[in-house]
Amino acid sequence: HQLNIQALKRFQVVGKEVMSGAGLRYAGERLGATGTDFTLPDYTLFRVFGEVELTDNLTVFGSINNLFDTEWYASSYSQLWVQPGTPRALTAGVRASF
């Protein structure tokens, strides 16, 4: 089972357009290798994100994924090869239009 939820809000601060939001991703326990009883544990990840329009042509944005630095496993081929999920990660950028 999987669940993805995301909510965002747009508003004005000091005359600037601002967007902020949060998301949640849940994945239930799942089979880790075909034909075995090896399973990967369930996990819940949280994300926050936002952006500010500085001018009509310039926007600053960012996000923090895996906000609480949860240890999770993305996939596996067997008990001997399990791919860990990414730790907390911060992404930031600037978007310019012409």
Side-chain angles (χ1 to χ4, degrees):
H1 296 90
Q2 291 189 17
L3 172 69
N4 289 293
I5 297 174
Q6 181 170 290
L8 65 89
K9 175 75 175 164
R10 293 189 184 277
F11 51 95
Q12 298 262 332
V13 173
V14 193
K16 304 293 183 189
E17 182 75 21
V18 177
M19 184 273 298
S20 66
L24 170 143
R25 179 173 66 177
Y26 169 79
E29 185 177 282
R30 62 228 181 267
L31 192 60
T34 305
T36 70
D37 60 356
F38 171 62
T39 59
L40 296 175
D42 65 337
Y43 63 87
T44 303
L45 302 177
F46 294 91
R47 171 180 184 250
V48 293
F49 55 91
E51 68 179 42
V52 177
E53 186 179 90
L54 298 177
T55 69
D56 289 341
N57 300 327
L58 190 64
T59 302
V60 176
F61 59 91
S63 69
I64 302 174
N65 295 311
N66 193 1
L67 182 63
F68 301 113
D69 203 20
T70 302
E71 184 176 293
W72 62 288
Y73 303 98
S75 62
S76 69
Y77 292 114
S78 71
Q79 291 174 310
L80 301 176
W81 193 99
V82 177
Q83 177 67 42
T86 54
R88 180 185 306 121
L90 171 67
T91 303
V94 176
R95 183 170 38 251
S97 60
F98 302 94

